[in-house]
Amino acid sequence: MNTSESAENYLETILILSKSKPVVRSVDIAEELGFKKSSVSVAMKNLREKNHITVTKEGFIYLTESGKEIAEMIYERHELLSEWLTRLGVDPKVATQDACRIEHVISKESFEAIKQHIK
């Protein structure tokens, strides 16, 4: 699973939006991330070509199995790292920002060790 940080962020955003919206569209992603719709369209094309998402003719975006797997992995890392940093005394806003950076570069081995340590 070799995906870019940008792709991981898009997939995570689709996952998060799908929890609160009946359908996810490019405009929803652009609004959530503060990006231009044209930038999101290019990213969706790339994710579709890599079979991480499907897009219906109405423009509804759905995660494929591989896309969902990546999104859930990143989301789990984000949630756990944000919570952990906050418990260590880091300001919640800073913890969230740092977790967003760490979630993309931490190895699976290191993340699992942190996860086990926290539990």
Side-chain angles (χ1 to χ4, degrees):
M1 235 183 320
N2 193 8
T3 54
S4 69
E5 180 176 334
S6 174
E8 290 173 349
N9 279 332
Y10 278 110
L11 293 170
E12 181 184 26
T13 300
I14 295 166
L15 177 70
I16 291 167
L17 288 172
S18 70
K19 292 174 184 280
S20 63
K21 294 182 173 288
V23 293
V24 177
R25 300 166 300 145
S26 287
V27 67
D28 301 319
I29 298 166
E31 191 175 288
E32 180 72 18
L33 296 174
F35 294 164
K36 291 181 183 174
K37 195 168 174 258
S38 58
S39 299
V40 173
S41 293
V42 170
M44 293 305 103
K45 179 180 181 275
N46 291 335
L47 291 174
R48 196 172 58 248
E49 287 173 355
K50 291 180 178 167
N51 295 314
H52 293 316
I53 62 167
T54 58
V55 183
T56 67
K57 65 180 191 250
E58 296 86 5
F60 302 155
I61 300 167
Y62 297 97
L63 294 169
T64 62
E65 200 56 46
S66 68
K68 189 173 184 180
E69 188 178 319
I70 295 165
E72 287 176 343
M73 174 194 68
I74 294 299
Y75 185 66
E76 177 190 25
R77 288 177 176 195
H78 181 86
E79 291 291 294
L80 187 127
L81 292 167
S82 294
E83 181 185 328
W84 181 52
L85 291 169
T86 302
R87 282 197 280 168
L88 290 173
V90 177
D91 176 87
K93 187 175 180 181
V94 174
T96 298
Q97 291 169 344
D98 287 347
C100 201
R101 287 191 291 274
I102 296 167
E103 68 195 26
H104 301 287
V105 296
I106 193 169
S107 70
K108 184 176 181 172
E109 180 182 355
S110 292
F111 178 73
E112 288 301 320
I114 291 169
K115 193 165 128 177
Q116 292 307 312
H117 178 73
I118 291 171
K119 292 181 178 180

